[in-house]
Amino acid sequence: MHRLIARGLMFGNLVAVDSPVLVARYNRALAALTGRTTALDRFHIDISGFSPEIGEELGDPRYLNPRGVNRQFILLTTDQARAPLLDATFSISRQILRQFITDNQATLFTLTAQDAVAGELLNSVYTAEAAAQLFDIRRIRITADTTAGTIANAQALGALIDAFTTRPDGWYDDVLIAQMIDLAQKTGDVSRHPLRLTQNEYVASDFWTAHFGGLYVFRDVTHPAAIAVDPDQALGDLPILSQLDFNDRAAIAQFLSENDLAVPVAQDRSARTIAILRYKMDQITAHTAAMAGEALNAVTSRDMHALARRHAQALPAAWHGLAALLRWAADGGPWPRITSDDPAYFYVMRARPGPQADLVNMMLAELSPLDARQLFICHKRAFYAAYAGWPDPMRDYVANMLERDYLGNKAQVRDQLFGDTSRRSGPPPLPARRGPWG
């Protein structure tokens, strides 16, 4: 993985923890959550506070996510909102953490100025021994506080202030006043600067999970379904209308169509369509040539044409389906009929903008794994797993390609591939409770 790390394609955008004060705060939070500490004086953390260096030091890459269900986190700065989430077991975890930091920006900024904030993403499931248990996850509640208990103290002080101002004898209660003074020294003036997390519950209707070989759960759609990545996983009966796996290509295509979740990439003969199709074909050509032992150093578009001719017999059916679409888009050829049975089908689909867009693109990327760029953008975990099995020429090509064509121009590449991103997906906060009748 050294090629990816050197180019910022792995462990990129992590937050550096390199001062004695921050290390000490991190250790206090780590001890509160796990009972362990680190001897490192410099490391990097992701949005959840997980550090790959500490994971290696402790021999436990899941020290903040022991069961893979309720992830713990450590916040040293609100800047962590821009960091990735490494080794995620749920697709919604980073979205929820980022939304939580955004929703409580002012409070968390104040708290992390003096201490670390430690917390956990809680749901009603504590283990995932059976796939059906995952369907009990419907909302995520975040509990968090500093290691000194600042938020709890602020809540306690607020209750004392209420008692002081409402009780007839409050002005004469020396014990009450002494308690208020003691807590105020720890929290500051909570009447002017309230320390409370105003939003800490989020809906978890649709998600991907790494459990059971990978499982996509779509519940907030017209026709709900669970789609397993590994057809050999024995999931048992699931409490959902439709249960599919990656071998059910026609059924997955029908699911996407019935719920209006995806649209074809090739909808016109525009330069954008032609560029996308050619790039996808180049990805497949590079993979085929690399698996045949070709060196792919500094290959150009002309080189890709030569490689395609040289390995024409080995190119997979998906490449030929894309080529037929390219002939239609670029040369005015006949419209090819590409059904869900065609290996090229999922290569030419993208999510329709909406709340499930990221999850749909994630699934489409895993259904079209030879498109390395889309796999990297939409499904990092699947990309790293695929990368580990590639020969060195393919690793070199992909690392150079992503550094050259994606890192410096992320927004434009995403817009070209996925179109309108004005309605990005994400976990909506829970509405305020109003009682059983609304």
Side-chain angles (χ1 to χ4, degrees), residues 36-104:
R36 295 187 282 185
T37 58
T38 177
L40 301 178
D41 58 6
R42 178 184 174 85
F43 48 89
H44 297 80
I45 57 175
D46 68 3
I47 188 173
S48 73
F50 167 76
S51 167
E53 296 103 324
I54 294 176
E56 184 175 355
E57 176 198 21
L58 299 178
D60 182 5
R62 300 181 72 176
Y63 69 91
L64 285 181
N65 193 22
R67 295 183 181 273
V69 178
N70 294 284
R71 180 178 283 271
Q72 298 171 308
F73 63 88
I74 298 172
L75 294 180
L76 296 180
T77 170
T78 53
D79 289 343
Q80 285 173 236
R82 295 191 291 268
L85 179 63
L86 303 180
D87 197 28
T89 52
F90 284 88
S91 60
I92 53 175
S93 296
R94 181 178 184 270
Q95 297 170 2
I96 288 176
L97 275 172
R98 185 172 183 176
Q99 193 65 47
F100 169 72
I101 295 172
T102 301
D103 290 341
N104 300 279

Side-chain angles (χ1 to χ4, degrees), residues 17-27 38 40-43:
V17 181
D18 51 9
S19 74
V21 171
L22 290 180
V23 172
R25 290 178 185 175
Y26 187 92
N27 265 330
T38 177
L40 301 178
D41 58 6
R42 178 184 174 85
F43 48 89

Side-chain angles (χ1 to χ4, degrees), residues 285-286 289 294-296 299 302-312:
T285 299
E294 290 270 9
L296 300 176
V299 292
R302 181 173 296 181
D303 296 329
M304 281 297 177
H305 291 302
L307 288 171
R309 287 194 299 270
R310 191 179 311 156
H311 299 279

Side-chain angles (χ1 to χ4, degrees), residues 208 216 362 365-366 375 379-387 390:
W208 164 90
Y216 292 86
M362 187 178 186
E366 200 164 8
L375 193 63
H379 201 330
K380 293 288 193 301
R381 188 181 182 114
F383 172 83
Y384 294 137
Y387 180 93
W390 290 336

